[in-house]
Amino acid sequence: MSAEVIMNYASFILLGVAILCTFLSIVTEFTKQLGFLNTIPTDLQVLILSIIVCIIAYLAYASYTQVAITWYVLVAIIAAAFVVAIICCKGWSFVIDIWKRFYKKGK
């Protein structure tokens, strides 16, 4: 794979994550005061919503592109949902700080 193709995929992935985070933030703001949702922590609500929305988005993508749905991709989507949830709760700068802490340039 060339660097151009990798950067193209990376830009689409970041765009998808940004759209998911925006959607999750909007849904969380509107639903966190409803019924039993005001008794659970907001971070837990965001995590649960993130897992549900990411799985639905993957299933919609797989259906649209007619890609086979496999268990290991679903596990990866659930892991990615944790990243989406932490971005929604703490922000992009928190994730970038974690990345900088564990990835040292030049090693």
Side-chain angles (χ1 to χ4, degrees), residues 62-79:
S63 174
Y64 178 74
T65 59
Q66 297 177 349
V67 175
I69 298 170
T70 55
W71 67 270
Y72 50 86
V73 176
L74 283 173
V75 171
I77 293 298
I78 291 171

Side-chain angles (χ1 to χ4, degrees), residues 34-80:
L34 297 177
F36 74 94
L37 293 177
N38 62 358
T39 61
I40 63 172
T42 304
D43 290 351
L44 179 62
Q45 180 185 358
V46 170
L47 178 61
I48 293 168
L49 276 172
S50 176
I51 291 172
I52 292 169
V53 168
C54 286
I55 289 174
I56 290 172
Y58 167 67
L59 293 176
Y61 171 78
S63 174
Y64 178 74
T65 59
Q66 297 177 349
V67 175
I69 298 170
T70 55
W71 67 270
Y72 50 86
V73 176
L74 283 173
V75 171
I77 293 298
I78 291 171

